[in-house]
């Protein structure tokens, strides 16, 4: 087994419960950690034998472009897509962070973290 991390995928998206958030949008950060078998790829040196980081980034960008009220919903959609499209992934942890959230204080970001394993 092995771990692949894709860190600080940045996106401008329109998530949130406030009307302004759906109109103006905000900056977001997504971090993904997935567990998969990397033994074959470590020997073959062939992209087909691992999880393609480009594919992970593509899933995140597409799901971030679909407006949601809650970051939890976005994170869950990303997890569902990864399990659907990347069949070798056994476990995943997704963190979705809203940068400078409109919560009436000086807060760098809020983050929702969801983890799941293939059933």
């Amino acid at each position: 087994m092995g771990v692949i991390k894709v860190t600080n995928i940045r996106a401008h998206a329109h998530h949130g419960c406030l009307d302004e958030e759906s109109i103006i949008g905000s900056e977001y950060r997504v971090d993904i950690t997935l567990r998969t078998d990397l033994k074959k790829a470590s020997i073959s040196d062939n992209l087909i034998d691992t999880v393609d980081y480009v594919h992970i980034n593509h899933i995140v960008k597409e799901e971030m472009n679909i407006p949601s009220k809650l970051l939890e919903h976005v994170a869950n959609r990303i997890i569902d897509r990864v399990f659907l499209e990347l069949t070798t992934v056994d476990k995943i942890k997704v963190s979705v962070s809203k940068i400078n959230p409109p919560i009436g204080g000086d807060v760098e970001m809020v983050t929702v973290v969801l983890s799941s394993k293939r059933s």
Side-chain angles (χ1 to χ4, degrees), residues 12-115:
H12 184 85
H14 300 270
H15 307 303
C17 295
L18 302 175
D19 290 338
E20 304 86 52
E21 292 175 298
S22 63
I23 296 167
I24 298 168
S26 299
E27 297 303 315
Y28 292 85
R29 169 187 174 159
V30 178
D31 300 304
I32 294 185
T33 301
L34 24 109
R35 186 173 166 177
T36 187
D37 188 351
L38 297 176
K39 182 151 179 69
K40 187 174 181 182
S42 71
I43 296 167
S44 74
D45 195 28
N46 192 334
L47 181 60
I48 195 94
D49 294 328
T50 191
V51 175
D52 187 351
Y53 322 138
V54 173
H55 196 155
I56 296 167
N57 187 59
H58 176 75
I59 289 171
V60 170
K61 294 290 188 170
E62 281 194 353
E63 293 304 324
M64 290 299 290
N65 278 331
I66 302 169
S68 293
K69 291 180 182 171
L70 301 177
L71 298 181
E72 293 88 333
H73 190 253
V74 179
N76 190 62
R77 286 199 324 261
I78 292 169
I79 290 170
D80 288 346
R81 283 269 313 267
V82 167
F83 281 146
L84 179 67
E85 296 179 22
L86 303 171
T87 57
T88 62
V89 173
D90 295 322
K91 292 175 89 174
I92 186 170
K93 180 170 90 170
V94 175
S95 302
V96 180
S97 302
K98 182 182 287 192
I99 311 298
N100 296 319
I103 60 174
D106 186 14
V107 176
E108 180 182 356
M109 73 176 97
V110 294
T111 303
V112 168
V113 180
L114 292 182
S115 299

